[in-house]
Amino acid sequence: MNRLLYESSVSYKGYLIIPFVFGKVDDYEIYSYKLLAEVGHKSRFHASENPATMYDNSIISILDIAKEHIDVNIDFVSQGDFFKSRYIYRHNLIIVYQKNARCYYDHYAPESLTNIAAPKLFSSPYECLNWVQKGLDGRNKS
């Protein structure tokens, strides 16, 4: 699989829709998508790949396909925009969230929706992002 296009991701009704290039046909890229759910594994679509089983040759169209699928099959009610504080660094997705005056984060590599975040608490979003960036920078120097 090609890398996940986190920079083109869209937050929608408690899901993060993440497009990626599924393949090529006659020099045209064919897009698919994966989903993250703010409620994690409580949603049957968390970390799923293209539950609508439809593909398209534009990112905008694949995002629309995903939104329509979510509208028809939504399995929870969102409590806000969990994915609003998301950052892309070196093609990695970092989602920062606060709870009870503490910061937490989820970290996803460019090729996988497996959370690789370390179990660490932070006092601010800045401290969290700085720590993750230093870790990624250090890993890339090796």
Side-chain angles (χ1 to χ4, degrees):
M1 179 185 83
N2 293 307
R3 79 170 179 85
L4 297 164
L5 303 173
Y6 295 128
E7 64 275 11
S8 297
S9 66
V10 172
S11 180
Y12 185 72
K13 295 186 176 181
Y15 290 94
L16 186 64
I17 306 166
I18 307 160
F20 66 93
V21 176
F22 181 76
K24 282 190 171 193
V25 175
D26 295 331
D27 293 328
Y28 290 97
E29 292 180 329
I30 305 300
Y31 293 94
S32 185
Y33 68 95
K34 290 192 174 200
L35 294 174
L36 283 179
E38 74 180 40
V39 297
H41 293 286
K42 293 178 185 173
S43 168
R44 69 181 186 260
F45 299 120
H46 181 69
S48 66
E49 183 175 324
N50 198 341
T53 64
M54 296 175 69
Y55 303 85
D56 205 282
N57 65 348
S58 88
I59 289 176
I60 292 172
S61 294
I62 202 64
L63 294 172
D64 289 341
I65 288 167
K67 288 176 183 178
E68 184 177 330
H69 183 265
I70 290 167
D71 287 341
V72 171
N73 297 285
I74 197 157
D75 59 356
F76 67 92
V77 177
S78 177
Q79 301 300 312
D81 189 358
F82 177 80
F83 300 106
K84 74 178 175 184
S85 294
R86 68 183 184 276
Y87 307 89
I88 292 93
Y89 187 72
R90 296 185 182 260
H91 302 296
N92 288 259
L93 173 66
I94 302 142
I95 302 164
V96 178
Y97 50 99
Q98 289 186 279
K99 188 175 182 180
N100 300 328
R102 296 281 189 184
C103 281
Y104 304 84
Y105 76 104
D106 291 339
H107 174 192
Y108 298 92
E111 311 81 27
S112 171
L113 283 186
T114 301
N115 187 358
I116 56 174
K120 187 166 173 62
L121 299 176
F122 301 92
S123 58
S124 73
Y126 174 79
E127 180 187 3
C128 176
L129 286 172
N130 192 39
W131 187 82
V132 174
Q133 288 176 340
K134 282 182 181 178
L136 288 170
D137 289 343
R139 184 170 57 183
N140 288 326
K141 288 179 185 176
S142 306

